[in-house]
Amino acid sequence: MDFAATGKKRRIFGVDFSGAKDSCKKIWVSSGRSVGSTLHIEDCYRLADQMGSGSSSRSGRDECFSALRSLIVRENDAVFGIDLSFSLPEHLMEYDWESFIESFSSKYPSAEQFRESCRDRAGGKELKRTSEIKAKVPFSVYNLRLYRQTYFGIRDVISPLVNDGLVCVLPMQEAKDGKPWLIEICPACRLKKEDMYIQYKGKTDDRRNARRRILEYFMNKGLVISSSLQKLIVADTEGDALDSIIATYSTFISLSRLSEIPDTSPENYAIEGYTFF
DNA sequence: CTTAAGTGCTACTGAGCTAA
DNA sequence: TTAGCTCAGTAGCACTTAAG
């Protein structure tokens, strides 16, 4: 398949994921479309904002993840870049990827048991996947700061969608027409790659200015975005809105690289997955 | 007054980088 | 070589503010 041509007709989504108890408030979704060599952003919102009124804070993880799954399934002509690991380091994978996904929830009853199991089998080390080392990710996917994200993301988003055959997870699965495509994205790695890895999360003027600088940097590289959305993104002190925009941009530029994966990625990509950035 | 929602703070692991 | 620092984040707690 010619991903550069076929993929770019698809609507492009970027998701900043969260495994927190109040994940609805922390998950941000952005979307846009490819126009020539530019990316036009159409939307950027908290997941809570597109769920029913009154549910924003009362809803637990289950409802948030259900809402995210619905959103993905609705967009059968889209590609989603998600800030979430779809897999584990090869040493911790016992089966092929699809078997791993299928048995995940029965194998790991809780996020804490998932983390303990990974640590035990890795001899206390925090192992990284081959593509993560290349992408210079700061943390292992079962690190203290990330294990909930990895656990709930695989258990409640990736696994149900894959088990029901509703999505194509690349590059482990074939990209098919009529289904949403999912790829793994790392906004922090994109910023490192662009030499724009500066501190931008927080309430101080410095951090706000940093968010604006990063946004303007990507606007100079073909990101087109309305002034009202720009304000919203810079105003989000947590930086999650900006993360979702970077995820969308990363997905946009990754489209032309999708077909290269088998040639340029490590041998074990089929089981470990591949982090785009 | 009562309760829900928001804010600010701390603790928590390991790895990689830099300065000395 | 080593000390010090920062980093894909979240939970729990005390406290303040808003809504009724």
Side-chain angles (χ1 to χ4, degrees):
Chain A
M1 181 178 294
D2 181 356
F3 288 101
T6 313
K8 285 197 172 183
K9 288 179 187 163
R10 290 188 164 231
R11 199 167 173 202
I12 298 166
F13 282 82
V15 179
D16 184 55
F17 190 71
S18 160
K21 278 185 174 172
D22 56 349
S23 57
C24 289
K25 289 195 242 174
K26 300 196 172 178
I27 295 175
W28 280 76
V29 178
S30 293
S31 66
R33 284 187 189 277
S34 175
V35 179
S37 61
T38 63
L39 171 67
H40 288 228
I41 296 294
E42 297 172 331
D43 225 341
C44 178
Y45 53 85
R46 280 181 210 268
L47 185 59
D49 294 340
Q50 69 97 53
M51 295 172 68
S53 60
S55 66
S56 62
S57 58
R58 282 189 165 267
S59 45
R61 288 190 184 104
D62 285 350
E63 288 140 291
C64 299
F65 299 148
S66 168
L68 183 57
R69 290 197 303 272
S70 302
L71 189 158
I72 292 171
V73 170
R74 267 201 306 276
E75 300 286 341
N76 59 11
D77 194 31
V79 52
F80 286 82
I82 309 179
D83 177 16
L84 162 73
S85 172
F86 298 166
S87 187
L88 298 179
E90 188 172 16
H91 182 69
L92 304 179
M93 298 286 286
E94 290 174 23
Y95 316 102
D96 62 280
W97 184 78
E98 287 189 355
S99 305
F100 162 76
I101 290 297
E102 195 180 338
S103 63
F104 190 85
S105 63
S106 56
K107 190 165 179 184
Y108 306 107
S110 74
E112 286 65 34
Q113 287 175 59
F114 164 68
R115 179 167 179 244
E116 276 311 302
S117 170
C118 289
R119 284 163 57 89
D120 284 351
R121 283 179 294 151
K125 295 283 180 189
E126 297 201 341
L127 303 175
K128 289 176 183 172
R129 296 176 292 163
T130 309
S131 70
E132 289 172 333
I133 295 166
K134 278 186 166 181
K136 299 184 198 286
V137 301
F139 298 116
S140 159
V141 296
Y142 54 92
N143 174 276
L144 173 69
R145 295 172 70 158
L146 288 184
Y147 73 94
R148 293 181 199 86
Q149 229 173 278
T150 308
Y151 179 76
F152 290 110
I154 294 177
R155 194 192 71 171
D156 294 315
V157 181
I158 304 302
S159 196
L161 293 174
V162 168
N163 290 341
D164 288 345
L166 299 172
V167 296
C168 304
V169 178
L170 312 185
M172 294 80 97
Q173 297 184 309
E174 187 189 343
K176 292 180 183 165
D177 288 333
K179 289 181 186 179
W181 300 349
L182 270 51
I183 65 172
E184 226 180 274
I185 287 293
C186 174
C189 302
R190 182 77 251 154
L191 290 171
K192 281 187 183 175
K193 182 84 175 173
E194 303 285 347
D195 210 16
M196 285 296 290
Y197 196 49
I198 54 179
Q199 295 190 326
Y200 63 97
K201 301 189 184 218
K203 298 190 171 184
T204 62
D205 286 348
D206 279 0
R207 303 298 170 91
R208 180 177 300 266
N209 291 336
R211 289 193 290 278
R212 172 144 298 283
R213 259 185 70 199
I214 291 169
L215 193 56
E216 285 174 354
Y217 173 84
F218 285 108
M219 288 169 66
N220 284 327
K221 297 199 67 162
L223 185 72
V224 178
I225 184 162
S226 72
S227 59
S228 59
L229 280 183
Q230 289 178 42
K231 280 179 192 154
L232 180 140
I233 290 156
V234 174
D236 173 42
T237 55
E238 317 262 307
D240 296 330
L242 182 56
D243 283 340
S244 74
I245 291 290
I246 299 169
T248 310
Y249 181 82
S250 299
T251 306
F252 166 66
I253 58 173
S254 296
L255 281 173
S256 53
R257 294 178 51 217
L258 287 177
S259 52
E260 301 167 13
I261 298 167
D263 303 325
T264 60
S265 54
E267 289 277 314
N268 58 6
Y269 77 93
I271 189 158
E272 280 198 343
Y274 188 84
T275 308
F276 291 88
F277 53 90

